[in-house]
Amino acid sequence: AQSVTQLDSHVSVSEGTPVLLRCNYSSSYSPSLFWYVQHPNKGLQLLLKYTSAATLVKGINGFEAEFKKSETSFHLTKPSAHMSDAAEYFCVVSAWTNAGKSTFGDGTTLTVKP
Amino acid sequence: GAVVSQHPSRVICKSGTSVKIECRSLDFQATTMFWYRQFPKQSLMLMATSNEGSKATYEQGVEKDKFLINHASLTLSTLTVTSAHPEDSSFYICSALPGNLAGGTDTQYFGPGTRLTVL
């Protein structure tokens, strides 16, 4: 079994300030972890993924995430928010040993204030 | 690379009609594709797993006779909503897994979604 908890349903930051979106997971498998971003009425875009290599993962658009096995966390960060970062963010856990099925968190809405 | 398309992007239909949605992997082969449904302000709900050359596997509570899935080739899966009703109105998103799952990637690439409105 696997599950994902995104600890904040909404996060609001000012432009130019750091972003932190929190995600905890559980999995019976050796999981892969992902962050996806979704803009309104659009599909999901892959930001970054962790697949048992380096625990600090760098993604697109300046985002990065750190896998902490002891804390079962995979938090997403960005040093400086941009207005275009305003969107819905999903933390996802998956395992090819689980027929490739993914389990999604409930999502975090990021608002960026000017 | 790893681009997935969906067609149509938006469809409006009358109650009782059937609607077909196509999901294509444009630059890779995918033995496995997934179909999701997303309600406003909510996360994605997995409806079914589509496997090339075999029957789809549906999640609990999803009516297989209402949501027909066909995975006819390594680059195409279709979802047909049969006898659509207003409660079927939703945003439908597909995803594709590159390659063969046996020892392969578990990174899903998502299509842009299809907005279905049933009047």
Side-chain angles (χ1 to χ4, degrees):
Chain A
Q2 55 191 26
S3 67
V4 177
T5 302
Q6 289 183 242
L7 299 172
D8 307 291
S9 58
H10 291 87
V11 171
S12 181
V13 301
S14 297
E15 190 175 21
T17 64
V19 175
L20 171 63
L21 305 183
R22 298 182 295 164
C23 172
N24 286 351
Y25 74 93
S26 68
S27 179
S28 305
Y29 315 97
S30 295
S32 295
L33 293 159
F34 307 83
W35 277 98
Y36 288 90
V37 61
Q38 185 181 33
H39 289 91
N41 296 308
K42 300 291 185 183
L44 276 70
Q45 181 184 18
L46 179 66
L47 280 177
L48 50 80
K49 62 180 180 180
Y50 165 78
T51 54
S52 75
T55 56
L56 182 61
V57 182
K58 293 187 183 298
I60 63 171
N61 300 336
F63 285 96
E64 62 181 40
E66 186 172 8
F67 174 73
K68 292 186 176 181
K69 188 174 182 179
S70 60
E71 298 177 11
T72 61
S73 68
F74 190 58
H75 301 336
L76 180 71
T77 61
K78 183 173 180 177
S80 176
H82 192 272
M83 295 297 290
S84 61
D85 294 327
E88 190 78 12
Y89 290 79
F90 293 99
C91 181
V92 179
V93 61
S94 181
W96 69 266
T97 47
N98 187 28
K101 287 186 180 181
S102 292
T103 300
F104 284 74
D106 289 336
T108 297
T109 303
L110 176 64
T111 301
V112 182
K113 297 175 290 186
Chain B
V3 178
V4 177
S5 70
Q6 276 184 248
H7 178 79
S9 58
R10 184 181 296 269
V11 58
I12 300 172
C13 69
K14 292 182 178 180
S15 186
T17 61
S18 293
V19 174
K20 180 185 284 188
I21 303 170
E22 293 186 348
C23 177
R24 292 182 187 271
S25 54
L26 298 184
D27 49 4
F28 64 96
Q29 293 184 331
T31 53
T32 302
M33 292 183 173
F34 298 95
W35 286 96
Y36 296 86
R37 185 172 180 176
Q38 186 179 32
F39 292 102
K41 306 292 185 183
Q42 294 188 24
S43 189
L44 278 68
M45 180 190 78
L46 179 64
M47 298 174 65
T49 303
S50 171
N51 299 295
E52 188 267 338
S54 64
K55 290 184 178 181
T57 304
Y58 290 82
E59 295 300 300
Q60 192 170 9
V62 178
E63 299 176 62
K64 62 180 181 181
D65 295 329
K66 177 149 190 77
F67 299 100
L68 300 179
I69 292 171
N70 182 276
H71 196 146
S73 76
L74 288 172
T75 59
L76 173 64
S77 176
T78 60
L79 168 69
T80 302
V81 183
T82 62
S83 186
H85 291 283
E87 58 266 29
D88 298 324
S89 298
S90 191
F91 194 52
Y92 292 89
I93 303 176
C94 73
S95 70
L97 277 174
N100 189 316
L101 250 191
T105 179
D106 55 5
T107 301
Q108 294 184 37
Y109 294 92
F110 288 83
T114 296
R115 173 74 59 193
L116 171 63
T117 302
V118 184
L119 303 176

